[in-house]
Amino acid sequence: MAQTSSSSPSLKASSSVTNDFQAIIMALILIVTIGYFLLLIVTPTNMYRQIWTPKIKAHITNSTYFGAQEKTLLMNTFPLIFIAVLGCVYLHLWKKSNDKNINRFEKKQKLAIWRRPIIMKGLGIVSRIELGFFVMFIALLVWTFASYLHIIFPTITPKSVAKSGEKVWEAKLEDSGLRLGLVGNICLTFLFVPVTRGSSVVQVFGLTSEASVKYHIWLGHIVMTLFSAHGICYIIYWASTHQLSEMLKWGKTDISNLAGELALLSGLVLWIATFPRIRRKMFELFFYTHHFYILFVVFFVFHVGVSYACIMLPGFFLFMVDRFLRFLQSRSNVRLVAARVLPCETLELNFSKTKSLSYTPTSIMFVNVPSISKVQWHPFTITSSSNLEPEKISVAIKGEGSWSKKLYQMISSPNSVDRLNVSVEGPYGPPSTHFLSHDLLVMVSGGSGITPFISIIRELIHTSESQKCKTPEILLISVFKNSEDLTMLDLLLPISGAPSETCKLGLQIEAFVTREKQPVSTEDKKNLRTVWFKPNPSDKPITPILGQNNWLWLGAIISCSFLIFLISLGVLNRYYIYPIDKNTNDIFSYPIKAVLNMLIICISIVNTSSAAFVWNKRQSGTDAKQIQNMEGATPMASPNSWFYNADREMESLPQQSLFQSTNLHFGERPDLKRLLFERKESSVGVLVCGPKKMRHEVANICSSGLASNLHFESISFSW
């Protein structure tokens, strides 16, 4: 007892110091972020053009290491890289302080009104906070464009354009096209940040890559609209001034128009394939054309020159680091232990993992099966809990697309494969969750939308059992088309779980079958079955790509690779480019300089990421060998396999144990308004995942203001 009491103050002191460090780091992040956006606001003004720019140019004229790039590297590239590194440190401290507690979020009643959902045409369901930031960002773009025109247009007069033989409207059109391109570059700076799956920039502000994909979509539409207008303005200008030959210009020390057109063409092909009708009907076309972003970026750098391209460099730099780390992780086959086959054409794949791999509920994982397609990677929602199932990770896959249907047929057929090569990327998810902050969780799902709720329920089972703390009551409202889909409720229980645990959790299920008016007879029912896969010595359990201290390692990779890039760039400029060009930008070829810069960036990222990956792979090799030894040669023949025995026990349990807390409704849809408004708890978290119509209906109910205790949250999921 004396030891416990003496250690308690030290733990509190350590926690207090950690919290202080977190507060300081977050303050620095906010200061740099605000300063960065203030710079964007000031850039189009006369103060920046007439006061700041001459002083900066006077300084960099004598620079023999970075030349004209020094300005953009310092003012546009460095801030976002700095935020990313600080974010990694902050998230590392946050993770350490939340290892045994998935919820440190307190109720934020003051922000409740700002988090209420709004349904906006073209934007979908957004919170008032998101809408506010979106409006401010659009205002920034409008301000930038208007400021440029306000400064330039008065200088365009009949007298000023007489020397070039142009008309006033032609000169204004050309300048408008240029300014549209400059405004588009602001959006391009942030375009890749939301789709950087392991991004510290995204997560430090409480977002996830999966949830922030919509920001990438918004930015993508704005970018392509502005760049398309930019290109159209120039084409009209060239046509009216009889200079269409300019379209084929590839300048050695000037803007390369042809490169810009190729970049725009690549972007247009990519953009067209993203529209919902094409993406849903021809997903593979969308998937393959989306890789045109590589051509877009390369030709963009050739078009504007490497110095100006540094404006969009930080977002793409962070994306490249993340993309290469994902590439390294995906090179090895992972240990697929078993698959649970549901009669509703749904699979739950169960993989072996090391205990050091942790993730939060609602996380996703990307899966690749080379025997179906070597290049296609599909995201799936994780259904397991890293705390409740420390040596297993599972994902649910619905046989809806061509890829998932092929996988289901391979595994569910009578002559099923006994081994399957599988590679994964991830998992990716929020740094923490806040489900414990509510008295009641109402989970509304439509069809396959139940999958993210499976991981939440399993995590709450662990919390109620291990931490002995009060967990919120759960009301699960699930809507299915057919009674066969009801078998998805079997996935609510973990493989190693017991039905009694759901009773302790306080789980109530309201299941609605809309297309059938009465239950199917027991003779027609198909049961869930499990398919086991033979292990292979080359298969490895899934491990954290950068170890337990992944955020610190990521911060080290970002900072070291960027530092190596700067050193290499300085050496290249000082001893190769400067002796030729003397900072005039009139001698050394722009395209060659662009190629050398892109090559240096790739080398710096590849070297640092590979070194960190190999080091952590060696550290996690011991855990992987221990798991392989525990599994034995074959699950079917290994009596010591916890995976095998646990699932056998699960399959032998009567299914009605789960349905004791389930009310079945046939031939009707849920009255969501009644079900939500009748809840009188002080704080009700409303989570919805399913079809667009269902999400909008729940969002409207929660935003109506008729029940202040309803707190809405839309959950994204992947099949």
Side-chain angles (χ1 to χ4, degrees), residues 462-670:
H462 165 77
T463 304
S464 63
E465 289 294 312
S466 63
Q467 300 184 20
K468 305 300 181 183
C469 64
K470 183 181 178 181
T471 56
E473 300 281 318
I474 299 176
L475 173 60
L476 176 61
I477 305 171
S478 296
V479 183
F480 303 105
K481 293 180 180 179
N482 306 302
S483 56
E484 275 190 349
D485 296 334
L486 289 171
T487 55
M488 293 184 64
L489 295 174
D490 291 335
L491 300 180
L492 292 174
L493 291 177
I495 285 180
S496 57
S500 59
E501 292 172 333
T502 59
C503 300
K504 296 178 183 178
L505 191 62
L507 172 65
Q508 178 63 38
I509 303 173
E510 300 290 337
F512 294 81
V513 181
T514 59
R515 294 186 179 178
E516 296 176 7
K517 294 189 176 181
Q518 58 184 5
V520 177
S521 63
T522 55
E523 296 179 358
D524 298 331
K525 285 184 179 180
K526 299 178 182 178
N527 295 323
L528 178 151
R529 68 185 183 90
T530 303
V531 177
W532 300 97
F533 298 99
K534 294 181 179 179
N536 188 290
S538 62
D539 293 342
K540 306 294 183 182
I542 302 175
T543 58
I545 187 171
L546 293 175
Q548 290 183 320
N549 297 320
N550 59 312
W551 287 117
L552 283 184
W553 277 103
L554 180 60
I557 291 172
I558 294 172
S559 54
C560 289
S561 58
F562 188 68
L563 184 61
I564 292 172
F565 162 66
L566 292 179
I567 294 173
S568 303
L569 181 63
V571 172
L572 175 70
N573 277 289
R574 176 65 181 86
Y575 297 103
Y576 180 58
I577 296 178
Y578 179 77
I580 299 173
D581 195 82
K582 304 294 184 182
N583 279 353
T584 63
N585 290 323
D586 293 330
I587 303 174
F588 200 88
S589 171
Y590 276 19
I592 294 177
K593 186 185 292 187
V595 170
L596 292 174
N597 275 257
M598 288 187 284
L599 186 62
I600 290 174
I601 290 173
C602 293
I603 291 174
S604 63
I605 290 175
V606 168
N607 287 342
T608 52
S609 300
S610 299
F613 175 78
V614 171
W615 175 268
N616 281 283
K617 189 175 181 180
R618 289 177 179 175
Q619 298 297 314
S620 61
T622 304
D623 293 339
K625 289 180 180 179
Q626 290 177 350
I627 290 177
Q628 285 180 320
N629 293 334
M630 288 175 63
E631 286 182 351
T634 309
M636 294 295 291
S638 174
N640 295 323
S641 171
W642 68 269
F643 225 134
Y644 173 71
N645 290 331
D647 197 61
R648 284 287 171 148
E649 181 184 355
M650 180 67 187
E651 290 179 342
S652 66
L653 292 170
Q655 292 187 1
Q656 59 265 29
S657 59
L658 179 64
F659 288 100
Q660 287 177 353
S661 58
T662 303
N663 294 324
L664 297 177
H665 309 269
F666 288 88
E668 61 177 298
R669 295 182 179 276

Side-chain angles (χ1 to χ4, degrees), residues 351-385:
F351 300 92
S352 174
K353 80 171 187 70
T354 59
K355 292 183 178 180
S356 59
L357 176 64
S358 61
Y359 50 89
T360 50
T362 72
S363 296
I364 65 166
M365 188 166 68
F366 286 75
V367 178
N368 170 259
V369 181
S371 57
I372 299 177
S373 174
K374 293 183 179 180
V375 296
Q376 288 191 33
W377 289 82
H378 293 263
F380 299 104
T381 302
I382 294 175
T383 56
S384 54
S385 163

